[in-house]
Amino acid sequence: MGVLIKPQTDRIDGILRTVDIKPETAGWQYVSFAVYQLTRGQTLCGAANGRETAVVVLYGTGRAELNGQSVGQIGERLSVFENKAPYALYLSEDASYQVGCTSDGMKIAVASAPTTHQHLPARLIRPEDVSVELRGEGNTQRRVQHILDIDQEAERLIVVEVITPAGNWSTFPPHKHDTENPPHEAYLEETYYHHISPSDGFAFQRVYNYEGFDESVAVRDGDLVLVPKGYHVVSATPGCDLYYLNIMAGPHRVWNYQVDPAFRRLLPPSGKITGSIVRPSGQKEG
C-alpha cells in the first residue's frame, strides 16, 4: 500500500464511510482511522471494543451519548475552516458512543489504538478544552488545535488538527518519529486526513528518508496520507487553504522527533519546533 489513500464510497448501515484504515491494511501496529458522512436523522453507533478511541466531529451538529448517557449537543462548526475548535468524544477500552446528526450534513472521524488497560473514564471534549497554538513564522505559520495532545489524559492516542493558510508550509521543518530511541525519538505511526478550500484545489505532501523511501503526492479534498516511516512535510498551494487531522499512536505516548539534518539550521536554540498558545485549554474563544 502506498502512502496516499483516496476516499471510498462504502455504506455501513446506510451511512457513507469514505475512509477505513486498520493496522492490518496499513501494514503497521497501532493506528486505525475511519471517516463517516452522516445526513440529517442518521445515527452513528460504535464501541471501543478493547481499543482506545477518539470520535472527532469535523463539521455539523448532533446529539451524543456515552455509555448510554446523553452528553447533549456535539458539534458546532459547519466547516473545518471555521475559526473554531471541534467537539470530540474520548472512550477507553469498554465504552460505547452514539452520535445522531441534527444538521443537513455531518462528518465524523473515528480513530483508535490498542489500549494499555488504564480504564480511563469516557468523556466529552468541548472546544474550550482544546488549546490553540500558532506555530511557525511567515510562510511556515499554521494554526494547531490540540484535541488530545500529550498534556491531556489518554493512553496512546495523540489527536491534533492543523489549518495551514494558502501558500504556506506545514509539518515544518521536515521531521520523523519512526524509531524508538528515548529520549531523542519515539516511534509514532501517523495519519493525515486532508480537506482543501476551495475543494477543487490541492496540496503536496512528501514522506521520505535517505534509505530509498521517497513518496511525494498531490493531495486532494478528502484524501488520507499514511506516514509509516520517514521525514514528512506538507505544502498548501497558493489560493488553497489546507486542513488536516493528525492521528498518532505508538508504544509510548511521547512526541519526540528528529528533524531532517538538512533543516536543523532552522530550529531555535531549544532544538524543538515551537509556537505560541493563543488560547490555553479551558479558555473560551471570543
Side-chain angles (χ1 to χ4, degrees), residues 24-244:
E24 54 268 29
T25 57
W28 55 31
Q29 297 178 298
Y30 295 97
V31 173
S32 290
F33 183 75
V35 177
Y36 299 89
Q37 180 77 55
L38 282 68
T39 58
R40 186 185 296 271
Q42 288 187 317
T43 299
L44 180 68
C45 301
N49 293 325
R51 292 179 64 84
E52 181 182 46
T53 301
V55 180
V56 181
V57 178
L58 300 178
Y59 61 77
T61 62
R63 306 287 297 180
E65 294 182 4
L66 276 173
N67 295 328
Q69 300 296 314
S70 174
V71 294
Q73 178 178 317
I74 188 170
E76 182 178 47
R77 63 191 187 186
L78 300 181
S79 165
V80 295
F81 292 98
E82 287 188 25
N83 193 29
K84 298 176 181 177
Y87 281 77
L89 301 173
Y90 174 82
L91 295 83
S92 191
E93 59 186 309
D94 54 358
S96 63
Y97 70 90
Q98 180 173 303
V99 179
C101 176
T102 59
S103 54
D104 290 338
M106 189 178 199
K107 184 168 278 192
I108 297 173
V110 180
S112 69
T115 182
T116 59
H117 306 293
Q118 295 182 42
H119 298 283
L120 299 176
R123 67 185 188 271
L124 171 67
I125 300 173
R126 298 176 176 85
E128 55 263 36
D129 301 322
V130 178
S131 60
V132 178
E133 173 191 3
L134 290 181
R135 185 177 293 169
E137 297 180 353
N139 64 355
T140 67
Q141 189 172 88
R142 61 274 196 192
R143 176 184 170 101
V144 182
Q145 304 192 142
H146 300 271
I147 302 167
L148 192 65
D149 213 332
I150 56 175
D151 61 341
Q152 297 153 295
E153 191 174 41
E155 298 180 57
R156 293 192 196 274
L157 285 174
I158 299 172
V159 182
V160 301
E161 56 181 16
V162 180
I163 297 91
T164 305
N168 278 17
W169 289 78
S170 196
T171 303
F172 193 90
H175 58 280
K176 74 179 184 76
H177 36 73
D178 60 10
T179 303
E180 193 66 20
N181 181 28
H184 309 290
E185 186 175 353
Y187 174 81
L188 291 169
E189 300 161 357
E190 185 170 21
T191 58
Y192 281 69
Y193 177 68
H194 292 274
H195 275 296
I196 314 287
S197 180
S199 60
D200 59 354
F202 64 95
F204 289 112
Q205 184 159 6
R206 185 185 182 200
V207 186
Y208 66 99
N209 61 25
Y210 292 104
E211 299 165 356
F213 174 68
D214 195 340
E215 292 199 35
S216 295
V217 293
V219 176
R220 298 190 179 275
D221 194 63
D223 285 351
L224 182 76
V225 174
L226 307 179
V227 181
K229 60 184 176 181
Y231 303 103
H232 37 287
V233 66
V234 178
S235 176
T237 54
C240 298
D241 291 333
L242 173 64
Y243 163 96
Y244 54 81

